[in-house]
Amino acid sequence: MIGEPARPGARKYVLFDVDGTLIDAVDNQRRVWGVWAERYGLDPDEVYQVALRTRPLETFAQVVPDRDPQECLAALHELKDEDVRSGAYAAFDGASELLEALPPEAWALVTSNYEHRVRGRFARTGLPVPSLIVDAASVEEGKPSPVPYLLAAERLGAEPQDCLVIEDAPSGVQSGLRAGMTVWGVNAPVAVDGVHRHYGSLREAINDILAVTSGTRPHEPRGSAAAG
């Protein structure tokens, strides 16, 4: 089947995005960007819409082109670190069950966030932390570049075609596809362009993810959009 991990008999690996995939951080992101925008006298909703489509330095270039981008970034990092300490977080339904069931050496996190924040959020939500986290500091090119997912595969000792990427956002989906990996989308009402399988929630995908890592064939999704 197109889009399913190849090479029967080879170990299969699962690479997870974090925000929006394992942890529900939408309200936190909106609040952080809102506070940041107010510091600079900007409209929070307008800034957030830009931030959804761009990386921070690109966001600053659009919304405050006359300000020092490093100063802007430092202010944003300060707010994000404080949010990790004091914000309210929740793991998506089934996240803990899924991660606990996966072989420890068979999965990793690939995030556009920073490792210390991921560890802080995982500690607060009770999620197990893998041995490998590829974060924003690990790469020079972030998603949608294939570099983050290719680096994760390399460090796991995996071939790209033996990796299953679990994502919720277009940039992450493109990153996984460009890396030559199978990509399944979760936690979205409609399928992101390019995903091989779409699940409305992480919970719906659990059994199929575990089937892949155990070497069995996942079920055919009911009415799932499978592009690719």
Side-chain angles (χ1 to χ4, degrees):
M1 176 179 178
I2 294 176
E4 299 297 349
R7 303 198 325 136
R11 175 184 285 279
K12 304 303 188 293
Y13 299 82
V14 187
L15 307 178
F16 293 96
D17 173 52
V18 177
D19 293 341
T21 298
L22 296 173
I23 292 181
D24 187 353
V26 172
D27 289 343
N28 303 75
Q29 293 168 347
R30 182 182 289 275
R31 184 174 66 82
V32 165
W33 275 108
V35 173
W36 182 91
E38 289 172 355
R39 285 190 179 182
Y40 289 86
L42 303 171
D43 181 274
D45 290 335
E46 291 181 4
V47 169
Y48 183 65
Q49 290 306 311
V50 175
L52 284 176
R53 304 188 304 270
T54 59
R55 286 173 286 190
L57 291 178
E58 296 165 344
T59 302
F60 307 147
Q62 289 192 39
V63 302
V64 282
D66 57 333
R67 301 299 294 263
D68 178 0
Q70 293 306 315
E71 171 204 316
C72 295
L73 188 61
L76 183 65
H77 282 327
E78 176 188 340
L79 291 169
K80 287 188 173 183
D81 286 343
E82 177 56 33
D83 182 70
V84 170
R85 293 188 290 268
S86 62
Y89 284 94
F92 281 105
D93 180 33
S96 181
E97 172 188 334
L98 171 59
L99 299 184
E100 292 284 2
L102 288 169
E105 70 282 359
W107 64 283
L109 303 177
V110 181
T111 175
S112 299
N113 211 321
Y114 287 85
E115 182 170 347
H116 72 279
R117 292 188 195 127
V118 172
R119 289 184 177 277
R121 292 177 179 183
F122 271 47
R124 297 192 59 198
T125 55
L127 294 178
V129 180
S131 59
L132 176 61
I133 300 174
V134 173
D135 70 345
S138 303
V139 295
E140 292 185 4
E141 296 180 28
K143 304 173 186 179
S145 165
V147 170
Y149 279 111
L150 288 173
L151 179 60
E154 178 184 338
R155 290 184 175 176
L156 286 171
E159 295 296 329
Q161 64 265 36
D162 295 323
C163 294
L164 171 62
V165 169
I166 308 299
E167 272 279 0
D168 74 296
S171 63
V173 168
Q174 288 303 310
S175 178
L177 292 174
R178 292 173 182 175
M181 299 175 180
T182 298
V183 182
W184 291 357
V186 299
N187 299 333
V190 297
V192 175
D193 287 347
V195 295
H196 297 107
R197 288 186 176 217
H198 167 69
Y199 300 84
S201 68
L202 180 66
R203 165 64 67 182
E204 294 172 23
I206 288 178
N207 289 339
D208 288 347
I209 294 171
L210 294 177
V212 167
T213 59
S214 66
T216 59
R217 189 179 182 86
H219 81 285
E220 293 296 326
R222 297 188 302 272
S224 172

